[in-house]
Every structure is written in C-alpha cells, then in structure tokens.
Amino acid sequence: MTKELGKSIKQLRTNLELTQKQLAEGICSQSLLSRVEKGLEIPSVLIIHNICQKLGITVDSLLSSSQLDSPFIQLKKELQELFFRHDFETLYPSLHKKTLALFETHSQATHYYFFLGVCELLYKTNPQNAIAALEEALSLNSRRSNSLTTHDILISSYLTLAYSEVSDEIHALKHLNQCLLFLHKQVEPSELMPSIYLNIARFYAQQSESLTAIEYVHLGIACCQKQNSTFQLSHLFFELGVLFIQTDRKQSGIRKIKFSLELSSYLDEQFVTAELTKRRKLLY
C-alpha cells in the first residue's frame, strides 16, 4: 500500500510537470515527500489531504489509485502523444467543450488551453487566438503554484513567438526574458526543454539575430543528446540548416536540412517529415 501510494503521488505530480520541491511547498519538506514517493514513509492524513488539493484530486481517488487509469488520464495521454507527434490536424478538433469540461473537472484546464494555443499558433496560424489561449494557460498555472515550472516556461516560449507574430515587441520580450532567466538557473531535466530552446531560436531568427539563434539551436541539440531524447531534434537540425543558409553557408545548410529530413524519416515522424518537406520546398 505504501509503495503504491507513493507511486501514485509521483505519477500525478509528473503529469502536472511539478517538481518535488513545488509539490511539497507549504505542505511538508521535500525530503519527506521524496521518502513518501519511494514508499519509505506513510504521510499523515493532513499531508495527504493537502497533497491531493494541490494535485487537484480527491483523497479517495488517490487511495484507490483509480485516478491513474481514469478516462481523463487516458485522454490527457492521447492529447500529449498527438502534441509530441506534431499531429495538430488530429489534436485541434479533439479540443472541444466536452474536453474542456473534463479538464476543468480535474483542475487541469491549463493543459487544455496550452494544447489549444499551440494549435492556433502552429496549425491555424492565428497568433491572436493563440495568445488568448496561452495566456489563459499561464494564468491557471500561476494560481496552482507560486514557483515557475518547466511547463510555465514552455508556454512563455510559445507566447514569445505569438506576440512576435503580431509585432507586440514589449510582451514578446517580457516572455523571452522569463524564458532566459529560467534557463540560466539549474532546472530538472525535462523532455519539454528542447521545445523551449527551439522557440527561442525561432524568435531570434525572426529578429534577424542569426548567430544568437544558432547558439540556442545548438543548446537544444545538446539538451536532446544529454537526455537521450529525439523530441524536436529533427526540427532543431532543420532550423540550423535554415540559419546556415541565411549566414552564407548554403552548402552546410542544405546538408543539415537533408539530414533533418532523413532523421525524421528514420524516426518515423510522419507529420514532422511532411512539415519539413513543405518548408524545404519554399527555401530552394
């Protein structure tokens, strides 16, 4: 029972992109939470109650572990998978009022608005709608925790791009600075980090600051290598190729772009390959 309880708490915490420190804040020490998650200690009833409140679930749900296999968790996993696959064509219509109601019931509407904002920006190319959804996602996150999470910064990185698209330099720089300050701190590894580096690189590329953009692409690639992850790796190499072409290194750029397409094909990233192929046709 003790191990299952700790396992459930850890799983729910990671689903919310919360660190142990963030979940423990105002409830118990981080070391105690760590022991609970490892199944080494049974927390008091008060601690369990407070943890459940922060996780947005009931005590009964936690104790029965049914939350982990609930329809909501399955839905969230499916939407996350679509996001990671860049299948926005399927993700976007999946975000309807019924889906929002389910996310609100579990106090996780921030994820709904995040998915919606990314779709509006990258799939529907409507930055104004993207800004509205992403700002709502960020606002809901701030109510849940006083400290910034990797998910907060991921949202800010997309807001940086969205505000740049509508030429709102003040808000774009505000979110960019928040991203940069976060990255300069030591943060726990996360599969979301390469997306943050990629979005920052894209922003600098839009501002014609190619050398700075190249620096953040390299940081994103290094992040993938460090975490042994391929998420966004094809996009990062493609961006590097584009930036090389823009800085008079055309042959190197073409090779990087070719490699990115070969990589996405090898990884069976169907939607990424289609997107990059389309972008390549516009370049040369």
Side-chain angles (χ1 to χ4, degrees):
M1 173 63 182
T2 306
K3 287 186 177 180
E4 287 303 317
L5 177 66
K7 186 178 178 181
S8 297
I9 291 173
K10 182 178 181 180
Q11 181 65 62
L12 291 164
R13 173 177 64 78
T14 54
N15 283 343
L16 291 172
E17 293 290 335
L18 290 173
T19 64
Q20 284 186 342
K21 181 179 179 181
Q22 288 163 346
L23 179 56
E25 184 181 4
I27 298 175
C28 62
S29 66
Q30 183 178 346
S31 60
L32 174 58
L33 178 59
S34 177
R35 292 196 300 275
V36 169
E37 289 189 352
K38 292 176 182 177
L40 301 177
E41 188 164 336
I42 301 177
S44 68
V45 174
L46 179 60
I47 288 177
I48 290 178
H49 173 75
N50 289 337
I51 285 176
C52 287
Q53 277 197 321
K54 207 162 190 177
L55 292 173
I57 63 170
T58 65
V59 174
D60 286 342
S61 295
L62 176 63
L63 295 178
S64 66
S65 297
S66 61
Q67 182 75 12
L68 295 176
D69 300 316
S70 70
F72 167 70
I73 291 298
Q74 291 303 316
L75 171 64
K76 184 179 173 185
K77 286 180 179 178
E78 289 171 11
L79 296 179
Q80 286 177 330
E81 180 63 25
L82 292 172
F83 167 72
F84 283 121
R85 287 168 49 199
H86 293 266
D87 184 1
F88 303 121
E89 187 175 348
T90 305
L91 177 58
Y92 187 72
S94 300
L95 300 170
H96 41 67
K97 289 183 178 179
K98 185 177 178 182
T99 305
L100 173 58
L102 191 55
F103 271 84
E104 287 177 331
T105 300
H106 291 80
S107 302
Q108 293 195 36
T110 179
H111 291 279
Y112 171 89
Y113 285 109
F114 167 71
F115 292 137
L116 180 61
V118 173
C119 285
E120 290 287 0
L121 181 64
L122 301 182
Y123 175 57
K124 304 300 287 185
T125 59
N126 192 326
Q128 288 288 7
N129 285 355
I131 288 169
L134 292 169
E135 287 286 10
E136 180 65 16
L138 203 58
S139 174
L140 290 169
N141 257 0
S142 66
R143 295 176 207 169
R144 192 183 69 205
S145 175
N146 293 326
S147 52
L148 290 174
T149 67
T150 306
H151 193 252
D152 289 320
I153 301 306
L154 179 64
I155 296 170
S156 280
S157 72
Y158 280 108
L159 277 167
T160 300
L161 291 178
Y163 277 117
S164 178
E165 289 287 339
V166 297
S167 302
D168 188 338
E169 185 177 343
I170 293 176
H171 282 95
L173 291 176
K174 170 192 167 185
H175 286 285
L176 174 67
N177 288 335
Q178 197 167 47
C179 293
L180 298 180
L181 286 171
F182 184 83
L183 292 176
H184 285 146
K185 300 176 183 177
Q186 285 193 342
V187 295
E188 289 188 4
S190 167
E191 60 186 344
L192 303 176
M193 295 296 289
S195 291
I196 297 172
Y197 285 116
L198 177 62
N199 289 341
I200 292 174
R202 284 173 170 169
F203 170 77
Y204 279 119
Q206 289 175 356
Q207 307 305 309
S208 299
E209 297 185 40
S210 299
L211 295 180
T212 305
I214 288 172
E215 178 185 347
Y216 279 96
V217 168
H218 281 305
L219 287 171
I221 293 172
C223 184
C224 288
Q225 293 170 337
K226 185 177 180 180
Q227 297 180 168
N228 196 25
S229 168
T230 58
F231 179 55
Q232 296 290 27
L233 193 56
S234 300
H235 273 101
L236 286 160
F237 274 109
F238 190 93
E239 293 300 329
L240 191 59
V242 173
L243 289 163
F244 277 0
I245 291 173
Q246 291 174 350
T247 52
D248 298 323
R249 287 175 280 179
K250 186 174 181 180
Q251 291 306 314
S252 295
I254 291 173
R255 285 196 295 271
K256 293 295 183 186
I257 288 173
K258 182 182 178 182
F259 174 75
S260 72
L261 285 162
E262 290 173 348
L263 178 62
S264 65
S265 179
Y266 173 76
L267 296 173
D268 197 24
E269 297 174 329
Q270 175 186 351
F271 299 97
V272 174
T273 304
E275 178 189 342
L276 297 184
T277 300
K278 185 178 180 180
R279 288 185 61 193
R280 182 180 64 174
K281 289 179 180 178
L282 298 175
L283 286 172
Y284 54 86

